[in-house]
């Protein structure tokens, strides 16, 4: 189970990082944390249960410096989400010092030929206890390495929990954060800290068993721990997959005029409850006006980044407005805007010589097939059928 869940979490983290690299740094931080924790679990599986010298040589000790980055990335994610901030400050790079020191500690082993690493891996597969006698770090022995990595992550998890505790004291006064988003995201952050602490305890138990017992005894005594670790990985993956709104973080619109009451925003059917002062309705109204008047969607490369740049707000604020106020995905909104604009162009150019494909390009569609599929999906008719109906 640990192997399967580690691979799933690695895949999910890679998707998170690639998709949010330029859009949401906090999502990248949690993606990097998931990736490193999953790599740790995968390395543990290959070391204890694996039978491939190649894969064990690829992971054993070579990824250990990166494990000391999991704590900082976890902390950056929690802090950035609570503060609605993105990126790092100069002082934040000090958190990477332990990983750099560890990298230099294993540099001698790291740059040895891969054939030698395979020999070491085969020795471990033949006799697991060999790990205790292999010298791979110039500065520290294996006990210090294993325990320090866990203590390092534990410290960051505890401090992140402390940040959440302080935030909870002022949570009821956070009127510039959408209430539902605040409730869902805060609960996710609390659950995340608890799961990370549980993971650390699990790996600590594995480490203590490793120090105390021989290879065969270790296998017998750690089965339950491995299963619970796999379950924890599964919960982390489910949290992201089934509740993607947590990636919007806690969007804080400090400039919101909460006294204004919007009943409708242009042609969009966006209603506001009189008892619910949604701090992002004003931004949503500006976004809708921008889309209606400027028609940026006619650019084939139109993306959320264009809206964020125009509005001069973070990407995740725009994502929140589209998903939670417009109640649709950005891709669907973009498609509907283009189709609606195409319908208008078809009516206005009914007696002109412009082709349907030409009109589709004017609306932002970059291919004939994507245009016809989108038009059919939104209107229930093909462009030809639509023209016949207005004739």
């Amino acid at each position: 189970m640990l192997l399967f869940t580690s691979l799933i979490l690695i895949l999910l983290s890679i998707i998170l990082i690639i998709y949010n690299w330029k859009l949401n740094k906090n999502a990248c931080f949690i993606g990097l944390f998931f990736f490193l924790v999953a790599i740790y679990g995968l390395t543990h599986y290959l070391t204890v249960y694996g039978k491939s010298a190649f894969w064990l040589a690829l992971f054993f000790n070579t990824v250990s410096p990166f494990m000391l980055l999991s704590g900082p990335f976890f902390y950056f994610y929690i802090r950035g989400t609570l503060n609605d901030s993105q990126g790092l400050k100069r002082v934040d790079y000090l958190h990477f010092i332990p990983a750099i020191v560890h990298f230099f500690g294993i540099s001698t082993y790291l740059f040895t030929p891969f054939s030698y690493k395979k020999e070491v891996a085969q020795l471990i597969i033949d006799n697991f206890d060999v790990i205790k006698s292999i010298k791979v770090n110039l500065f520290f022995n294996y006990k210090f390495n294993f325990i320090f990595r866990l203590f390092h992550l534990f410290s960051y998890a505890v401090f992140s929990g402390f940040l959440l505790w302080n935030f909870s004291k002022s949570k009821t006064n956070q009127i510039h954060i959408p209430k539902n988003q605040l409730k869902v995201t805060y609960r996710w952050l609390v659950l995340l800290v608890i799961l990370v602490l549980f993971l650390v305890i699990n790996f600590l138990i594995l480490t203590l068993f490793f120090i105390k017992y021989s290879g065969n005894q270790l296998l017998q005594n750690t089965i339950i721990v491995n299963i619970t670790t796999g379950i924890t990985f599964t919960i982390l993956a489910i949290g992201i997959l089934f509740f993607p709104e947590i990636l919007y973080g806690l969007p804080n619109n400090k400039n919101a005029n909460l006294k204004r009451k919007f009943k409708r925003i242009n042609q969009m059917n966006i209603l506001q409850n009189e008892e619910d002062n949604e701090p992002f309705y004003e931004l949503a109204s500006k976004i809708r006006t921008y889309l209606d008047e400027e028609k940026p969607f006619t650019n084939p490369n139109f993306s959320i980044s264009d809206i964020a740049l125009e509005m001069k707000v973070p990407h995740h604020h725009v994502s929140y407005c589209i998903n939670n106020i417009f109640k649709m995905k950005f891709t669907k909104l973009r498609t509907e805007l283009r189709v609606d604009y195409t319908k208008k162009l078809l009516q206005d150019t009914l007696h002109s010589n412009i082709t349907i494909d030409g009109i589709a390009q004017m609306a932002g569609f970059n291919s004939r097939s994507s245009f016809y599929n989108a038009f059919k999906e939104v209107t229930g008719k093909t462009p030809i059928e639509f023209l016949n109906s207005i004739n």
Side-chain angles (χ1 to χ4, degrees), residues 133-191:
S133 60
I134 298 176
K135 182 70 173 178
V136 292
N137 194 304
L138 298 175
F139 306 139
F140 316 110
N141 59 31
Y142 78 95
K143 291 182 181 179
F144 180 86
N145 285 333
F146 288 168
I147 294 176
F148 179 75
R149 282 201 297 265
L150 296 173
F151 175 77
H152 187 259
L153 178 56
F154 179 79
S155 300
Y156 277 97
V158 169
F159 187 72
S160 297
F162 178 73
L163 293 180
L164 283 172
W165 174 262
N166 279 341
F167 183 84
S168 67
K169 297 177 183 179
S170 61
K171 190 154 59 77
T172 55
N173 298 323
Q174 300 291 343
I175 60 174
H176 294 94
I177 301 175
K179 292 181 180 179
N180 290 335
Q181 185 69 14
L182 175 61
K183 180 172 64 175
V184 172
T185 303
Y186 184 79
R187 288 177 179 177
W188 156 251
L189 294 177
V190 172
L191 175 63

Side-chain angles (χ1 to χ4, degrees), residues 218-232:
L218 178 67
L219 292 174
Q220 296 173 0
N221 287 282
T222 59
I223 294 176
I224 295 178
V225 177
N226 285 322
I227 292 175
T228 54
T229 301
I231 293 174
T232 305

Side-chain angles (χ1 to χ4, degrees), residues 350-389:
L350 190 62
H351 303 292
S352 68
N353 295 325
I354 302 178
T355 64
I356 293 179
D357 290 346
I359 289 176
Q361 291 180 358
M362 292 171 59
F365 291 101
N366 53 16
S367 71
R368 179 187 179 93
S369 59
S370 62
F371 164 61
Y372 274 77
N373 291 335
F375 198 95
K376 178 72 173 180
E377 180 182 353
V378 174
T379 65
K381 302 176 182 179
T382 66
I384 299 298
E385 292 172 340
F386 175 78
L387 281 175
N388 291 335
S389 67

Side-chain angles (χ1 to χ4, degrees), residues 243-369:
F243 301 97
E245 62 269 23
I246 60 181
L247 295 177
Y248 309 146
L250 296 173
N252 192 334
N253 192 4
K254 296 178 182 179
N255 298 320
N257 183 4
L258 297 181
K259 294 181 180 180
R260 296 182 64 181
K261 299 292 183 178
F262 290 92
K263 274 297 183 180
R264 288 187 182 274
I265 300 178
N266 295 338
Q267 289 80 21
M268 292 293 293
N269 187 26
I270 305 170
L271 301 179
Q272 180 186 15
N273 189 325
E274 288 290 335
E275 299 178 356
D276 181 19
N277 287 334
E278 166 60 68
F280 281 87
Y281 267 90
E282 188 170 359
L283 176 60
S285 176
K286 291 180 180 179
I287 292 173
R288 185 63 206 184
T289 300
Y290 168 63
L291 295 174
D292 287 341
E293 295 182 355
E294 302 298 328
K295 296 178 174 47
F297 51 84
T298 56
N299 180 355
N301 298 318
F302 174 61
S303 67
I304 287 182
S305 299
D306 299 316
I307 302 177
L309 288 173
E310 178 67 24
M311 298 291 110
K312 296 181 175 58
V313 298
H315 293 84
H316 62 286
H317 286 196
V318 178
S319 297
Y320 172 80
C321 289
I322 293 174
N323 287 273
N324 292 71
I325 299 180
F326 291 176
K327 300 296 184 183
M328 62 176 64
K329 298 294 183 182
F330 172 74
T331 52
K332 182 179 180 181
L333 172 64
R334 182 177 58 189
T335 298
E336 290 190 358
L337 288 170
R338 287 173 174 171
V339 170
D340 288 342
Y341 187 55
T342 303
K343 290 164 60 179
K344 181 178 182 303
L345 290 176
L346 287 172
Q347 294 177 19
D348 293 344
T349 59
L350 190 62
H351 303 292
S352 68
N353 295 325
I354 302 178
T355 64
I356 293 179
D357 290 346
I359 289 176
Q361 291 180 358
M362 292 171 59
F365 291 101
N366 53 16
S367 71
R368 179 187 179 93
S369 59

Side-chain angles (χ1 to χ4, degrees), residues 24-27 29 72-88 92 160 163 167 185 189 248-252 316-317:
N24 189 343
K25 292 294 188 296
N26 287 329
F29 290 148
F73 284 134
F74 180 75
Y75 162 69
F76 296 151
Y77 169 70
I78 298 291
R79 182 192 65 181
T81 301
L82 294 178
N83 298 336
D84 192 30
S85 60
Q86 299 279 323
L88 301 177
D92 289 331
S160 297
L163 293 180
F167 183 84
T185 303
L189 294 177
Y248 309 146
L250 296 173
N252 192 334
H316 62 286
H317 286 196

